Amino acid sequence: MIPTNLIILIALGYVVLLFALAYFSERWAKGEAGKFLRSPLIYTLAISVYCTSWTFYGAVGSAARTGYEIFTIYLGPTLVFVGWWFGLRKLVRVGRTQRITSLADLISSRFGKSSRLAVLVTLIAVIGTTPYIALQLKAITTSLNVMTLGVNVDQPGLNVDDVRLALGVAVAMAIFTILFGTRNVDAKEQHHGVVAAIAFEAIIKLIALLAVGIFVVYGLGDGFSEVFARADAAQINAFEYGGFNSRWVAMIILSAAAIICLPRQFQITVVENSNENHLRTASWAFPLYLFAMSIFTLPIAIVGTAMLPPGSDPDMFVLTLPLNFGQEGLALFAFIGGFSSATSMIIIASIALSIMVSNHIVVPIALRLPGRSDDDEGGGVTDLLLTSRRISICVILGLGFLYFWLTNGSGALALIGLISFAGVAQTLPAIVAALFWRDATAKGAGAGLFIGFVVWAYSMFLPSFEESSISVAQWVQNGPYGIEFLKPQALFGLTGMDPLVHSVFWSLFANTVALVLVSLSTSQSVLERIQSALFVDAFRRMPGIETRFMRTSAATNDLFFVAQRVLGAERAGAVFDSFAREQGRSRTNLEPTPEFIALLEKELAGSIGAASAHVMISQVVSGDNISLQEVMKIADETQQVIEYSQQLEQKSEELRLTAEKLQDANAKLRELDQQKDEFLSQVSHEVRTPMTSIRSFSEILLEPEELDEQDRQRFLSTIHTESLRLTQLLDEILDLSALERGEKVWTNAPVDVVDAMDRAVSVCESLARPKNMQIRRHNVPAQAMVLGHADRLAQVFINLITNAIKYNDEPHPYVEVRFSNHGKRLLIEFQDNGPGIAAKERRRVFEKFARGQRGATSGQTGSGLGLAISSQIIARMKGKIELVKGDGFGACFRVSLPLYEGEV
Amino acid sequence: MANRRRSEGFGFFLPILGVILIMPPIVQLFDRGGSVFGLPIIFTYIFGVWLFLIVAAFILSRWLPQQDETPQRLERFDRDQDR
């Protein structure tokens, strides 16, 4: 056994070390090392203040009793941190921008800086945390007993020594925390020194637990698998199946709530946060820490149950295993680890709670007391704050001790912890509403908090005194005054439920319902509305929203006086100087703009909470807030402006579209105009040639003499031919323009293509014969029906065949007409063995007057409109005509038409 | 911008996936005898999901968009205080 004095000496030594660490960190924080102290690593380690002696000792005990259930306590926070982007990030942003000092401050500030809400939340936090502090006292006391006496048997009740020991520990912790946490009142309520010490403790407890775990798994056992095999052999009933029921779900919900709502977690995660991006690291690093803390929990529980004498307290396996197997050094280290986890919790929790108590209970009362406000200059409020905080710490630890004493230190560590969790979880609905629900009102939040708290106190907190008070036990057994209906653990006759699930269900249910219903049926005050916008829209920048609604007039002197009382002369001076610099004036000429007043209020809130700061500033500033009607008016005007600008945007979008359309139309018109010009000039050119020859021949004929009859005949026939050509040209132009404009009545009827082809070929025969040209047809089907116009179709074929004949100079000219089917289309190809069409002309053949180079020079007649007309006709029949690469060297035109499949 | 949306989508999905994986009924599927790697199935499952969440959160923390700065005024005052 290790001598008692030595252990106490070591514990004291460790505390002194911590204090030194905190002290020097505070000093370094100002210098270069401050960067390290404000790093994400330190932040993450500090968050692991979540792992208290409940984790260190109680997790193993819990695992030995109930198996996997204990991991819910770490899975809940893991989920919250993994989802940081949507919850914690907003909480931290709000906390930083609004200078939030505590959980109570957050809720009070959001709901119109209400002092009543702040008091209510403070009470919930204090009462909810009391069992938790008692838990730490119990853990320290028991572990000390184990270390010094080797007691490892679960003993009912407390002996005098235990009580004295616990009292001693409580007193020591109180002194320690006062020295640590209340040396000064920081403007931001950040304690770099304390955080550094907590981070250090986090490392110690992790290493200690890992050391014990490794010793147990690889020293006493033979690796993980062997240890788990033992569990099967020993038939430990904690690992039987079926543990994943409603209790599992309830505990995950509770632990997820706790990581946000526990006052110490809020303090570290939100208040002590120095950079929002630290959350980014913590989002995975903190779950990793929890993972590491939990990995050995089950093996230790299994080995402890299997190897230690029956009746050993499983909560102390972490100590008793090394002790029983002669590893006193390791046991001592483990003791320090457990001590670390307990002290870090006590320190942060009591600092957080003392801030709440002093800011929300003591200061408001002091502000209302007459005479108090005319105190000496500077430091008046600061002193008050420090004193009240020191007393609060004593009171809080005293309450913890009282709970420990009254409940006889009964119950496993995990049970006590869960009572706390369920208590502080009552603030969760209000927090969520504060951040995400614009219309939540102060009355709603108050109602929810109050009802939830009452239900929790009745169904969970009260029954925890069962063992120490007979009347409470009776009450729990039979209901108050024998009314079964109101039995704390079976409210409204809801029996057969786990007491924890029962209490969590009723309290959170009543809490949320009250919050929602009352919020919906009450309305917000002006201040609530403003604050609600600031909180819910935390990520939207709204410059000046706080100041817009305030018309203030205040004397700079008065403001400085107030600031001095709260912040102290030095800091107040710094704030005023800083703002004066921005205005470009000296401090005495500082203009107290609404912006400055809002800023100053926020600065004060960083010390004494939003509600108190608001009261103090309001005392100095006259004019105060403008009326609701005026706010509504401003809001309405804003709304109108927004709507108007939206309308304008819509209009301008419409205009833009219209302008685009106009531009398109204009471009099209220009193009058409140009086409028309070209067409006209080409038509004139085409008309001019025959006209010229007609004119000159008729002029010759007008001279009576010198012409014999033969010449006269010849000239007349030329005139006749030319006028025929002219007429044909004009006919075609008319035809084309009618086709293009779609004026001609056009009806598509089922037509046999083969029929049309026969007609076309017979017409062309006469033209082909003189040139000795062959017209070959291939694959001609019996019948091929398409929708179209028989004469027009024949016209197209005639045109194509005529072209092939006209331009062919080969000695053995031929044109091949090939029929084929392509899906539901009929393809007709006209392939000749003529000269083909030059590459550069291929694209233009279907344009008007686009005769090929040869056509123009070979003296062939033709208007150059044939293909353009054909193309129009085929288009009317939903078909296409194109120039394709045939297999020969001549030209190959392909007409494709959709086949008609209906009845003929 | 699309990337931001997508990473935020994953950031939203991950905790929800985690909740579903560790809540009944899914967790009950693994609450049975037998072992993997010499460890009970349920132990491996719970710690496996846990580790997966940590790794995914690590990757996400790199991927999620950098946050816009804390409002300037606050920064300035923090700086002044540090002086």
Side-chain angles (χ1 to χ4, degrees):
Chain A
M1 291 302 112
I2 307 164
T4 315
N5 289 345
L6 179 64
I7 291 182
I8 292 182
L9 210 64
I10 289 175
L12 274 180
Y14 180 70
V15 170
V16 171
L17 175 72
L18 281 185
F19 188 76
L21 191 68
Y23 181 76
F24 286 111
S25 304
E26 199 95 323
R27 298 185 120 195
W28 293 333
K30 305 232 186 287
E32 269 303 298
K35 266 189 195 148
F36 175 69
L37 288 175
R38 282 189 293 265
S39 68
L41 177 71
I42 299 288
Y43 179 67
T44 308
L45 285 173
I47 292 177
S48 42
V49 70
Y50 182 70
C51 298
T52 64
S53 56
W54 174 9
T55 303
F56 199 85
Y57 297 123
V60 170
S62 174
R65 292 187 190 98
T66 51
Y68 288 93
E69 190 180 281
I70 186 64
F71 298 121
T72 53
I73 302 303
Y74 310 107
L75 288 170
T78 298
L79 291 172
V80 171
F81 269 80
V82 164
W84 64 287
W85 188 260
F86 291 91
L88 283 178
R89 191 170 66 109
K90 193 166 193 184
L91 191 64
V92 169
R93 166 62 68 91
V94 167
R96 282 172 61 76
T97 48
Q98 302 302 314
R99 293 292 160 103
I100 298 299
T101 59
S102 66
L103 187 64
D105 195 24
L106 177 90
I107 293 178
S108 129
S109 174
R110 157 65 175 81
F111 296 106
K113 307 191 180 176
S114 147
S115 324
R116 268 187 229 165
L117 269 181
V119 172
L120 184 58
V121 177
T122 304
L123 284 179
I124 293 177
V126 169
I127 297 174
T129 310
T130 299
Y132 217 141
I133 290 179
L135 185 158
Q136 311 304 323
L137 294 179
K138 177 178 150 85
I140 295 181
T141 318
T142 321
S143 62
L144 260 175
N145 271 336
V146 168
M147 290 302 288
T148 53
L149 305 171
V151 180
N152 54 21
V153 177
D154 239 340
Q155 28 156 217
L158 299 164
N159 53 39
V160 184
D161 273 352
D162 277 350
V163 177
R164 269 173 42 201
L165 196 54
L167 184 62
V169 171
V171 170
M173 280 297 123
I175 296 171
F176 184 52
T177 312
I178 288 172
L179 285 176
F180 254 125
T182 62
R183 289 193 303 120
N184 51 16
V185 180
D186 197 299
K188 273 184 344 189
E189 281 313 340
Q190 293 193 340
H191 309 78
H192 295 302
V194 180
V195 170
I198 300 299
F200 175 71
E201 292 200 294
I203 297 173
I204 294 290
K205 66 193 181 199
L206 178 64
I207 296 178
L209 197 58
L210 288 180
V212 173
I214 290 168
F215 165 69
V216 168
V217 173
Y218 296 100
L220 298 179
D222 190 18
F224 272 92
S225 358
E226 191 268 340
V227 167
F228 277 109
R230 271 186 213 205
D232 289 340
Q235 299 270 307
I236 300 173
N237 48 15
F239 300 107
E240 280 174 1
Y241 312 126
F244 301 97
N245 45 24
S246 58
R247 194 174 152 88
W248 174 269
V249 176
M251 283 178 69
I252 288 182
I253 294 173
L254 270 191
S255 62
I259 196 69
I260 301 165
C261 306
L262 278 174
R264 65 172 193 280
Q265 292 309 133
F266 190 90
Q267 175 77 24
I268 294 289
T269 314
V270 180
V271 182
E272 303 281 355
N273 176 293
S274 56
N275 184 337
E276 281 174 32
N277 271 314
H278 289 177
L279 262 184
R280 196 175 284 271
T281 307
S283 73
W284 58 269
F286 177 60
L288 186 64
Y289 186 94
L290 295 177
F291 185 89
M293 285 296 271
S294 308
I295 192 85
F296 286 113
T297 305
L298 274 182
I300 296 175
I302 293 169
V303 173
T305 315
M307 294 181 79
L308 288 178
S312 306
D313 181 0
D315 276 344
M316 285 296 138
F317 279 172
V318 173
L319 286 185
T320 45
L321 272 173
L323 273 183
N324 264 23
F325 293 92
Q327 298 283 337
E328 292 198 343
L330 183 61
L332 197 60
F333 187 36
F335 169 75
I336 292 294
F339 188 69
S340 283
S341 47
T343 48
S344 53
M345 182 272 163
I346 294 179
I347 293 166
I348 298 294
S350 44
I351 287 178
L353 288 177
S354 73
I355 290 174
M356 283 197 219
V357 171
S358 69
N359 281 0
H360 304 304
I361 297 180
V362 179
V363 171
I365 293 174
L367 282 178
R368 261 164 228 185
L369 286 183
R372 175 75 220 175
S373 54
D374 299 325
D375 217 322
D376 52 332
E377 288 211 355
V381 176
T382 316
D383 284 348
L384 172 69
L385 277 177
L386 282 180
T387 318
S388 72
R389 273 178 204 181
R390 283 169 189 157
I391 295 171
S392 313
I393 288 174
C394 295
V395 170
I396 289 156
L397 279 164
L399 282 175
F401 170 73
L402 210 63
Y403 185 89
F404 170 76
W405 193 31
L406 284 179
T407 57
N408 276 343
S410 66
L413 296 179
L415 290 178
I416 311 176
L418 285 173
I419 297 173
S420 269
F421 272 27
V424 295
Q426 300 309 322
T427 55
L428 185 71
I431 293 178
V432 173
L435 292 181
F436 297 102
W437 189 25
R438 200 176 297 275
D439 297 327
T441 68
K443 292 194 183 76
L449 282 168
F450 182 75
I451 291 175
F453 176 65
V454 168
V455 174
W456 165 79
Y458 184 70
S459 63
M460 202 160 182
F461 189 64
L462 183 74
S464 70
F465 293 96
E466 202 176 3
E467 287 193 23
S468 54
S469 157
I470 299 164
S471 54
V472 170
Q474 288 244 319
W475 193 309
V476 172
Q477 276 301 314
N478 308 319
Y481 313 107
I483 307 172
E484 292 236 335
F485 200 58
L486 294 177
K487 276 204 309 201
Q489 295 185 335
L491 277 177
F492 311 117
L494 189 66
T495 52
M497 237 173 163
D498 181 89
L500 173 78
V501 180
H502 172 266
S503 173
V504 168
F505 167 73
W506 278 123
S507 57
L508 282 181
F509 172 69
N511 186 332
T512 313
V513 167
L515 168 71
V516 173
L517 284 186
V518 176
S519 286
L520 289 179
S521 50
T522 54
S523 53
Q524 293 177 320
S525 70
V526 182
L527 198 54
E528 271 180 80
R529 237 172 248 227
I530 297 169
Q531 291 298 101
S532 144
L534 284 174
F535 275 55
V536 177
D537 302 325
F539 288 112
R540 244 182 272 162
R541 267 167 208 243
M542 289 186 298
I545 180 170
E546 300 147 88
T547 53
R548 266 193 61 181
F549 301 114
M550 244 191 260
R551 275 184 324 201
T552 44
S553 63
T556 314
N557 276 343
D558 293 343
L559 284 174
F560 188 76
F561 184 63
V562 170
Q564 201 182 23
R565 280 170 59 204
V566 177
L567 303 172
E570 201 183 325
R571 281 232 4 97
V575 172
F576 274 69
D577 280 345
S578 162
F579 201 84
R581 258 203 311 282
E582 195 177 83
Q583 284 193 343
R585 302 168 186 233
S586 72
R587 189 203 296 182
T588 41
N589 286 334
L590 180 73
E591 181 80 27
T593 58
E595 195 191 7
F596 174 66
I597 292 169
L599 185 77
L600 190 64
E601 186 179 321
K602 222 182 249 181
E603 280 291 310
L604 297 190
S607 287
I608 56 174
S612 303
H614 189 61
V615 171
M616 287 193 85
I617 292 284
S618 306
Q619 280 175 352
V620 183
V621 175
S622 60
D624 208 354
N625 294 338
I626 48 180
S627 71
L628 180 61
Q629 278 79 10
E630 278 173 280
V631 174
M632 295 300 284
K633 212 175 119 201
I634 295 172
D636 276 350
E637 278 168 11
T638 317
Q639 192 60 32
Q640 279 171 7
V641 169
I642 290 172
E643 270 171 24
Y644 186 59
S645 88
Q646 276 172 348
Q647 282 172 2
L648 276 182
E649 262 174 36
Q650 217 174 335
K651 278 270 157 57
S652 79
E653 177 68 6
E654 280 169 15
L655 282 176
R656 199 179 56 78
L657 285 178
T658 317
E660 259 177 24
K661 275 185 201 154
L662 279 176
Q663 271 177 355
D664 282 353
N666 191 23
K668 224 172 260 172
L669 278 178
R670 275 171 194 280
E671 202 183 319
L672 283 178
D673 190 43
Q674 202 182 349
Q675 278 178 8
K676 187 201 73 189
D677 284 350
E678 277 173 18
F679 182 72
L680 270 181
S681 75
Q682 270 172 327
V683 167
S684 325
H685 178 74
E686 295 293 328
V687 172
R688 197 163 170 268
T689 321
M691 282 301 276
T692 311
S693 68
I694 290 173
R695 201 186 89 199
S696 41
F697 281 116
S698 43
E699 270 169 8
I700 295 173
L701 286 175
L702 281 177
E703 304 288 326
E705 60 275 30
E706 289 167 32
L707 268 180
D708 55 16
E709 193 58 27
Q710 203 181 357
D711 280 346
R712 192 179 290 269
Q713 272 303 321
R714 200 160 50 84
F715 290 160
L716 272 176
S717 98
T718 310
I719 289 175
H720 183 243
T721 323
E722 288 297 309
S723 36
L724 276 183
R725 204 176 126 199
L726 199 56
T727 318
Q728 190 200 348
L729 175 69
L730 290 175
D731 279 347
E732 285 185 355
I733 290 173
L734 280 175
D735 194 21
L736 181 64
S737 89
L739 275 173
E740 276 185 341
R741 276 180 297 160
E743 272 175 10
K744 261 195 186 161
V745 183
W746 182 280
T747 41
N748 277 337
V751 181
D752 186 3
V753 180
V754 181
D755 209 25
M757 183 63 75
D758 284 344
R759 277 168 57 197
V761 171
S762 63
V763 168
C764 295
E765 287 284 308
S766 57
L767 207 66
R769 204 163 300 135
K771 286 185 93 172
N772 208 8
M773 177 131 183
Q774 289 182 11
I775 303 175
R776 307 176 190 155
R777 278 177 279 176
H778 296 282
N779 298 338
V780 185
Q783 198 184 36
M785 304 302 289
V786 299
L787 272 183
H789 196 282
D791 293 343
R792 288 297 195 168
L793 200 53
Q795 183 189 346
V796 171
F797 293 158
I798 291 167
N799 179 252
L800 286 174
I801 297 172
T802 317
N803 278 350
I805 296 168
K806 260 197 263 178
Y807 300 113
N808 202 331
D809 309 327
E810 293 296 311
H812 303 290
Y814 66 85
V815 56
E816 275 182 3
V817 179
R818 293 190 295 254
F819 285 80
S820 61
N821 278 346
H822 184 78
K824 291 183 174 176
R825 296 183 82 87
L826 175 71
L827 302 185
I828 310 151
E829 284 175 352
F830 297 81
Q831 165 89 55
D832 63 51
N833 65 338
I837 292 167
K840 58 177 182 179
E841 286 168 355
R842 297 178 77 92
R843 273 175 40 204
R844 293 192 58 237
V845 289
F846 294 107
E847 286 178 19
K848 293 162 214 160
F849 303 108
R851 263 166 307 188
Q853 192 62 35
R854 288 178 62 84
T857 53
S858 62
Q860 294 290 351
T861 56
S863 59
L865 290 173
L867 281 175
I869 292 175
S870 298
S871 150
Q872 285 289 334
I873 291 171
I874 295 294
R876 284 298 183 89
M877 299 183 189
K878 311 247 175 344
K880 216 161 73 180
I881 178 165
E882 55 201 329
L883 182 59
V884 294
K885 276 207 170 85
D887 46 24
F889 28 85
C892 179
F893 286 89
R894 178 195 286 160
V895 176
S896 76
L897 287 164
L899 280 166
Y900 175 70
E901 290 171 327
E903 292 292 310
V904 181
Chain B
M1 204 60 197
N3 207 27
R4 181 194 168 101
R5 286 259 179 89
R6 199 178 307 170
S7 64
E8 285 190 335
F10 273 103
F12 190 63
F13 171 68
L14 187 64
I16 292 175
L17 178 72
V19 167
I20 292 169
L21 286 182
I22 62 164
M23 290 269 189
I26 297 230
V27 73
Q28 286 167 342
L29 289 179
F30 299 88
D31 187 18
R32 57 178 70 177
S35 54
V36 241
F37 315 122
L39 306 172
I41 285 182
I42 184 68
F43 181 86
T44 320
Y45 176 71
I46 290 179
F47 279 80
V49 169
W50 201 339
L51 208 58
F52 157 74
L53 287 175
I54 293 169
V55 172
F58 175 74
I59 295 168
L60 257 180
S61 72
R62 307 258 152 152
W63 190 23
L64 279 166
Q66 289 297 317
Q67 293 164 67
D68 30 347
E69 289 299 301
T70 318
Q72 273 191 347
R73 173 169 299 285
L74 208 66
E75 294 274 294
R76 187 167 53 75
F77 264 84
D78 287 352
R79 225 174 32 242
D80 284 354
Q81 270 174 17
D82 289 343
R83 259 205 296 272

